[in-house]
Amino acid sequence: MRSTVDGRIARGLNAEFIEGETAVLSETKRQLDEYFRAERKRFELPLLLVGSDFQKRVWNALLGVAYGETSSYLGLAEKVGNKSAVRAVASANGANAISIIVPCHRIIGSKGELVGYAGGLRAKERLLALECGLFALV
């Protein structure tokens, strides 16, 4: 899955990945560290979302799911204006290249169950527990 997402981004930007350090990467690391210490609830980073128009609508809707809250795939489909697009929303959610920053872990099944997270359900559970104030991860 990771190579598929990386390839989509490289093609969409007509770019190559070059390993290195930039001011944006340093700031991203700092904000992620704060998040994992339960000191940050919202990321303040420049985002360039690379995907279809539908995927971008889904990812922007994810940004509206607040820290410590969850939504269902149906709820997210309704937010993007197409309640019959639950499967397409789930697919777009899975194609999110910057999880945590674009918080796809906050989307759960319609019955409240933890489903579908590229990092694994245990990681999803821990992220949600962090956001509910149960513990910090670092």
Side-chain angles (χ1 to χ4, degrees):
M1 176 61 120
R2 181 81 247 165
S3 62
T4 301
V5 171
D6 288 348
R8 176 178 43 84
I9 292 170
R11 285 187 305 280
L13 295 175
N14 193 26
E16 295 180 35
F17 290 108
I18 300 172
E19 208 167 310
E21 191 67 28
T22 67
V24 171
L25 287 175
S26 294
E27 181 61 16
T28 301
K29 289 177 191 177
R30 186 183 72 75
Q31 290 188 30
L32 282 167
D33 285 343
E34 291 171 352
Y35 170 84
F36 288 120
R37 289 192 307 265
E39 298 169 358
R40 174 171 291 277
K41 295 182 179 183
R42 184 171 171 79
F43 292 94
E44 298 169 6
L45 298 165
L47 300 181
L48 176 59
L49 303 174
V50 178
S52 70
D53 289 341
F54 180 79
Q55 288 172 324
K56 291 177 191 177
R57 285 199 328 267
V58 170
W59 300 331
N60 280 306
L62 284 170
L63 292 169
V65 181
Y67 182 96
E69 294 182 8
T70 59
S71 182
S72 67
Y73 290 101
L74 176 59
L76 197 56
E78 290 170 344
K79 281 185 183 179
V80 299
N82 189 348
K83 67 180 182 180
S84 65
V86 174
R87 284 184 170 218
V89 162
S91 179
N93 206 46
N96 174 18
I98 49 177
S99 62
I100 301 177
I101 295 167
V102 176
C104 55
H105 61 279
R106 296 180 187 150
I107 304 304
I108 61 175
S110 58
K111 296 177 184 165
E113 71 278 18
L114 297 185
V115 294
Y117 188 63
L121 294 182
R122 178 72 179 127
K124 183 174 193 162
E125 179 180 42
R126 291 180 58 102
L127 291 169
L128 293 173
L130 166 74
E131 293 185 8
C132 290
L134 299 178
F135 60 87
L137 294 180
V138 289

Short mmCIF file of all heavy atoms in Angstrom, two decimals, residues 57-101:
data_model
loop_
_atom_site.label_atom_id
_atom_site.label_comp_id
_atom_site.label_asym_id
_atom_site.label_seq_id
_atom_site.Cartn_x
_atom_site.Cartn_y
_atom_site.Cartn_z
N ARG A 57 -11.60 15.84 -1.30
CA ARG A 57 -12.78 16.22 -0.51
C ARG A 57 -12.88 15.37 0.75
O ARG A 57 -13.17 15.88 1.84
CB ARG A 57 -14.07 16.07 -1.34
CG ARG A 57 -14.24 17.18 -2.36
CD ARG A 57 -15.66 17.36 -2.88
NE ARG A 57 -16.50 16.20 -2.99
CZ ARG A 57 -16.64 15.43 -4.08
NH1 ARG A 57 -15.96 15.72 -5.17
NH2 ARG A 57 -17.45 14.41 -4.09
N VAL A 58 -12.60 14.09 0.63
CA VAL A 58 -12.63 13.20 1.79
C VAL A 58 -11.55 13.62 2.78
O VAL A 58 -11.80 13.74 3.99
CB VAL A 58 -12.46 11.72 1.37
CG1 VAL A 58 -12.25 10.82 2.59
CG2 VAL A 58 -13.67 11.26 0.56
N TRP A 59 -10.34 13.85 2.32
CA TRP A 59 -9.24 14.21 3.22
C TRP A 59 -9.50 15.55 3.90
O TRP A 59 -9.21 15.71 5.09
CB TRP A 59 -7.92 14.21 2.47
CG TRP A 59 -7.57 12.87 1.87
CD1 TRP A 59 -7.94 11.64 2.34
CD2 TRP A 59 -6.83 12.62 0.69
NE1 TRP A 59 -7.46 10.65 1.53
CE2 TRP A 59 -6.77 11.21 0.51
CE3 TRP A 59 -6.20 13.44 -0.24
CZ2 TRP A 59 -6.10 10.62 -0.56
CZ3 TRP A 59 -5.53 12.86 -1.30
CH2 TRP A 59 -5.48 11.46 -1.46
N ASN A 60 -10.07 16.48 3.18
CA ASN A 60 -10.42 17.76 3.81
C ASN A 60 -11.53 17.58 4.85
O ASN A 60 -11.52 18.24 5.90
CB ASN A 60 -10.80 18.80 2.76
CG ASN A 60 -9.57 19.43 2.13
OD1 ASN A 60 -8.71 19.94 2.83
ND2 ASN A 60 -9.48 19.38 0.81
N ALA A 61 -12.46 16.67 4.58
CA ALA A 61 -13.50 16.38 5.57
C ALA A 61 -12.88 15.73 6.82
O ALA A 61 -13.31 15.99 7.95
CB ALA A 61 -14.58 15.48 4.97
N LEU A 62 -11.87 14.89 6.62
CA LEU A 62 -11.17 14.29 7.76
C LEU A 62 -10.56 15.36 8.66
O LEU A 62 -10.55 15.22 9.88
CB LEU A 62 -10.06 13.34 7.28
CG LEU A 62 -10.48 12.00 6.73
CD1 LEU A 62 -9.30 11.29 6.07
CD2 LEU A 62 -11.09 11.14 7.82
N LEU A 63 -10.06 16.41 8.06
CA LEU A 63 -9.47 17.50 8.84
C LEU A 63 -10.49 18.16 9.76
O LEU A 63 -10.14 18.80 10.74
CB LEU A 63 -8.82 18.54 7.92
CG LEU A 63 -7.58 18.06 7.16
CD1 LEU A 63 -7.20 19.05 6.08
CD2 LEU A 63 -6.43 17.82 8.13
N GLY A 64 -11.77 17.98 9.44
CA GLY A 64 -12.83 18.55 10.25
C GLY A 64 -13.28 17.65 11.40
O GLY A 64 -14.12 18.07 12.21
N VAL A 65 -12.74 16.44 11.49
CA VAL A 65 -13.07 15.55 12.61
C VAL A 65 -12.12 15.91 13.75
O VAL A 65 -10.91 15.69 13.66
CB VAL A 65 -12.95 14.06 12.23
CG1 VAL A 65 -13.32 13.18 13.42
CG2 VAL A 65 -13.82 13.73 11.02
N ALA A 66 -12.66 16.49 14.79
CA ALA A 66 -11.85 17.07 15.86
C ALA A 66 -11.10 16.03 16.67
O ALA A 66 -11.53 14.87 16.79
CB ALA A 66 -12.74 17.90 16.78
N TYR A 67 -10.02 16.46 17.25
CA TYR A 67 -9.21 15.67 18.19
C TYR A 67 -10.12 15.09 19.26
O TYR A 67 -10.96 15.79 19.84
CB TYR A 67 -8.18 16.60 18.81
CG TYR A 67 -7.21 15.96 19.77
CD1 TYR A 67 -5.96 15.55 19.33
CD2 TYR A 67 -7.51 15.81 21.11
CE1 TYR A 67 -5.04 14.98 20.21
CE2 TYR A 67 -6.60 15.25 22.00
CZ TYR A 67 -5.37 14.84 21.54
OH TYR A 67 -4.46 14.29 22.42
N GLY A 68 -9.99 13.79 19.51
CA GLY A 68 -10.78 13.14 20.55
C GLY A 68 -12.18 12.75 20.12
O GLY A 68 -12.94 12.18 20.90
N GLU A 69 -12.54 13.04 18.88
CA GLU A 69 -13.86 12.67 18.37
C GLU A 69 -13.70 11.64 17.26
O GLU A 69 -12.61 11.47 16.71
CB GLU A 69 -14.59 13.90 17.84
CG GLU A 69 -14.92 14.91 18.91
CD GLU A 69 -15.69 16.10 18.39
OE1 GLU A 69 -16.11 16.09 17.21
OE2 GLU A 69 -15.86 17.05 19.16
N THR A 70 -14.78 10.96 16.94
CA THR A 70 -14.77 10.00 15.84
C THR A 70 -15.97 10.26 14.95
O THR A 70 -16.91 10.96 15.34
CB THR A 70 -14.83 8.54 16.34
OG1 THR A 70 -16.01 8.36 17.12
CG2 THR A 70 -13.59 8.17 17.15
N SER A 71 -15.91 9.70 13.77
CA SER A 71 -17.03 9.72 12.83
C SER A 71 -17.04 8.36 12.16
O SER A 71 -16.07 7.62 12.22
CB SER A 71 -16.84 10.84 11.80
OG SER A 71 -17.94 10.89 10.91
N SER A 72 -18.14 8.06 11.52
CA SER A 72 -18.23 6.80 10.77
C SER A 72 -17.94 7.07 9.29
O SER A 72 -17.92 8.22 8.85
CB SER A 72 -19.63 6.21 10.91
OG SER A 72 -20.57 7.04 10.27
N TYR A 73 -17.74 5.99 8.55
CA TYR A 73 -17.57 6.15 7.11
C TYR A 73 -18.82 6.77 6.49
O TYR A 73 -18.73 7.61 5.61
CB TYR A 73 -17.24 4.79 6.46
CG TYR A 73 -15.87 4.29 6.82
CD1 TYR A 73 -15.70 3.31 7.80
CD2 TYR A 73 -14.74 4.79 6.19
CE1 TYR A 73 -14.45 2.85 8.14
CE2 TYR A 73 -13.47 4.34 6.53
CZ TYR A 73 -13.34 3.37 7.51
OH TYR A 73 -12.08 2.92 7.85
N LEU A 74 -19.99 6.38 6.99
CA LEU A 74 -21.23 6.97 6.51
C LEU A 74 -21.28 8.46 6.83
O LEU A 74 -21.63 9.28 5.99
CB LEU A 74 -22.45 6.27 7.11
CG LEU A 74 -23.81 6.87 6.76
CD1 LEU A 74 -24.04 6.89 5.25
CD2 LEU A 74 -24.92 6.12 7.48
N GLY A 75 -20.89 8.82 8.04
CA GLY A 75 -20.86 10.24 8.42
C GLY A 75 -19.92 11.03 7.54
O GLY A 75 -20.22 12.16 7.14
N LEU A 76 -18.78 10.44 7.21
CA LEU A 76 -17.83 11.11 6.33
C LEU A 76 -18.39 11.22 4.91
O LEU A 76 -18.24 12.27 4.26
CB LEU A 76 -16.51 10.33 6.33
CG LEU A 76 -15.27 11.03 5.81
CD1 LEU A 76 -14.99 12.34 6.53
CD2 LEU A 76 -14.07 10.10 5.92
N ALA A 77 -19.08 10.17 4.44
CA ALA A 77 -19.71 10.22 3.12
C ALA A 77 -20.75 11.34 3.07
O ALA A 77 -20.86 12.07 2.08
CB ALA A 77 -20.34 8.88 2.78
N GLU A 78 -21.49 11.49 4.16
CA GLU A 78 -22.49 12.57 4.22
C GLU A 78 -21.81 13.94 4.19
O GLU A 78 -22.29 14.87 3.56
CB GLU A 78 -23.36 12.41 5.46
CG GLU A 78 -24.31 11.22 5.35
CD GLU A 78 -25.03 10.88 6.64
OE1 GLU A 78 -24.61 11.35 7.73
OE2 GLU A 78 -26.02 10.12 6.56
N LYS A 79 -20.66 14.06 4.86
CA LYS A 79 -19.93 15.33 4.87
C LYS A 79 -19.44 15.73 3.49
O LYS A 79 -19.32 16.90 3.19
CB LYS A 79 -18.74 15.28 5.83
CG LYS A 79 -19.11 15.44 7.27
CD LYS A 79 -17.87 15.50 8.14
CE LYS A 79 -18.27 15.60 9.60
NZ LYS A 79 -17.09 15.65 10.47
N VAL A 80 -19.13 14.73 2.65
CA VAL A 80 -18.67 15.05 1.29
C VAL A 80 -19.83 15.11 0.31
O VAL A 80 -19.62 15.28 -0.89
CB VAL A 80 -17.55 14.10 0.79
CG1 VAL A 80 -16.33 14.20 1.69
CG2 VAL A 80 -18.02 12.68 0.65
N GLY A 81 -21.05 14.97 0.83
CA GLY A 81 -22.23 15.18 0.00
C GLY A 81 -22.71 13.97 -0.78
O GLY A 81 -23.45 14.13 -1.76
N ASN A 82 -22.32 12.76 -0.37
CA ASN A 82 -22.77 11.58 -1.10
C ASN A 82 -22.86 10.40 -0.14
O ASN A 82 -21.93 9.59 -0.04
CB ASN A 82 -21.81 11.28 -2.25
CG ASN A 82 -22.33 10.20 -3.17
OD1 ASN A 82 -23.30 9.50 -2.85
ND2 ASN A 82 -21.69 10.05 -4.32
N LYS A 83 -24.00 10.29 0.54
CA LYS A 83 -24.13 9.25 1.56
C LYS A 83 -24.11 7.83 1.00
O LYS A 83 -23.93 6.87 1.74
CB LYS A 83 -25.37 9.47 2.42
CG LYS A 83 -26.67 9.32 1.72
CD LYS A 83 -27.80 9.57 2.68
CE LYS A 83 -29.14 9.38 2.00
NZ LYS A 83 -30.24 9.62 2.91
N SER A 84 -24.24 7.68 -0.31
CA SER A 84 -24.15 6.34 -0.91
C SER A 84 -22.71 5.98 -1.29
O SER A 84 -22.47 4.88 -1.80
CB SER A 84 -25.07 6.24 -2.13
OG SER A 84 -24.63 7.11 -3.14
N ALA A 85 -21.77 6.85 -1.02
CA ALA A 85 -20.37 6.62 -1.42
C ALA A 85 -19.51 6.09 -0.26
O ALA A 85 -18.33 6.38 -0.19
CB ALA A 85 -19.78 7.90 -1.97
N VAL A 86 -20.10 5.29 0.61
CA VAL A 86 -19.38 4.82 1.80
C VAL A 86 -18.12 4.04 1.41
O VAL A 86 -17.05 4.26 1.98
CB VAL A 86 -20.31 3.97 2.70
CG1 VAL A 86 -19.54 3.34 3.84
CG2 VAL A 86 -21.45 4.82 3.22
N ARG A 87 -18.23 3.16 0.43
CA ARG A 87 -17.06 2.37 0.02
C ARG A 87 -15.99 3.26 -0.61
O ARG A 87 -14.80 3.08 -0.37
CB ARG A 87 -17.46 1.28 -0.96
CG ARG A 87 -18.13 0.13 -0.25
CD ARG A 87 -18.43 -1.00 -1.22
NE ARG A 87 -18.84 -2.15 -0.45
CZ ARG A 87 -18.52 -3.37 -0.74
NH1 ARG A 87 -17.80 -3.63 -1.81
NH2 ARG A 87 -18.92 -4.36 0.01
N ALA A 88 -16.40 4.23 -1.42
CA ALA A 88 -15.44 5.14 -2.03
C ALA A 88 -14.76 6.00 -0.96
O ALA A 88 -13.56 6.28 -1.04
CB ALA A 88 -16.13 6.03 -3.07
N VAL A 89 -15.51 6.39 0.05
CA VAL A 89 -14.94 7.15 1.17
C VAL A 89 -13.93 6.29 1.91
O VAL A 89 -12.83 6.75 2.26
CB VAL A 89 -16.06 7.66 2.11
CG1 VAL A 89 -15.51 8.05 3.46
CG2 VAL A 89 -16.79 8.82 1.47
N ALA A 90 -14.27 5.04 2.16
CA ALA A 90 -13.34 4.12 2.83
C ALA A 90 -12.06 3.95 2.01
O ALA A 90 -10.96 3.93 2.56
CB ALA A 90 -14.01 2.78 3.09
N SER A 91 -12.21 3.84 0.71
CA SER A 91 -11.04 3.70 -0.16
C SER A 91 -10.17 4.96 -0.12
O SER A 91 -8.94 4.88 -0.03
CB SER A 91 -11.50 3.41 -1.59
OG SER A 91 -10.40 3.31 -2.45
N ALA A 92 -10.81 6.13 -0.18
CA ALA A 92 -10.06 7.39 -0.10
C ALA A 92 -9.38 7.51 1.25
O ALA A 92 -8.24 7.97 1.36
CB ALA A 92 -10.99 8.57 -0.35
N ASN A 93 -10.07 7.10 2.29
CA ASN A 93 -9.51 7.13 3.64
C ASN A 93 -8.24 6.27 3.68
O ASN A 93 -7.22 6.69 4.24
CB ASN A 93 -10.55 6.60 4.63
CG ASN A 93 -10.39 7.13 6.02
OD1 ASN A 93 -10.20 8.32 6.21
ND2 ASN A 93 -10.46 6.25 6.98
N GLY A 94 -8.29 5.10 3.07
CA GLY A 94 -7.14 4.21 3.03
C GLY A 94 -5.99 4.73 2.18
O GLY A 94 -4.85 4.33 2.37
N ALA A 95 -6.29 5.61 1.25
CA ALA A 95 -5.25 6.17 0.38
C ALA A 95 -4.61 7.43 0.96
O ALA A 95 -3.73 8.02 0.34
CB ALA A 95 -5.85 6.49 -1.00
N ASN A 96 -5.02 7.82 2.14
CA ASN A 96 -4.47 9.00 2.81
C ASN A 96 -2.97 8.79 3.06
O ASN A 96 -2.59 7.85 3.74
CB ASN A 96 -5.22 9.22 4.12
CG ASN A 96 -4.65 10.33 4.97
OD1 ASN A 96 -3.91 11.18 4.51
ND2 ASN A 96 -5.02 10.32 6.24
N ALA A 97 -2.16 9.67 2.53
CA ALA A 97 -0.70 9.52 2.63
C ALA A 97 -0.12 10.10 3.92
O ALA A 97 1.03 9.81 4.25
CB ALA A 97 -0.03 10.20 1.44
N ILE A 98 -0.88 10.91 4.62
CA ILE A 98 -0.33 11.55 5.81
C ILE A 98 -1.25 11.36 7.01
O ILE A 98 -1.72 12.31 7.63
CB ILE A 98 0.02 13.04 5.57
CG1 ILE A 98 -1.13 13.78 4.92
CG2 ILE A 98 1.28 13.18 4.77
CD1 ILE A 98 -0.87 15.27 4.72
N SER A 99 -1.49 10.09 7.32
CA SER A 99 -2.34 9.77 8.47
C SER A 99 -1.74 10.40 9.72
O SER A 99 -0.56 10.71 9.77
CB SER A 99 -2.49 8.26 8.62
OG SER A 99 -1.26 7.65 8.85
N ILE A 100 -2.52 10.56 10.70
CA ILE A 100 -2.31 11.31 11.94
C ILE A 100 -2.49 12.79 11.64
O ILE A 100 -3.34 13.43 12.25
CB ILE A 100 -0.98 11.02 12.66
CG1 ILE A 100 -0.90 9.54 13.02
CG2 ILE A 100 -0.85 11.90 13.91
CD1 ILE A 100 0.38 9.12 13.67
N ILE A 101 -1.76 13.35 10.70
CA ILE A 101 -1.93 14.77 10.35
C ILE A 101 -3.29 14.97 9.70
O ILE A 101 -4.02 15.89 10.04
CB ILE A 101 -0.77 15.25 9.45
CG1 ILE A 101 0.54 15.19 10.26
CG2 ILE A 101 -1.04 16.65 8.92
CD1 ILE A 101 1.79 15.34 9.43
#
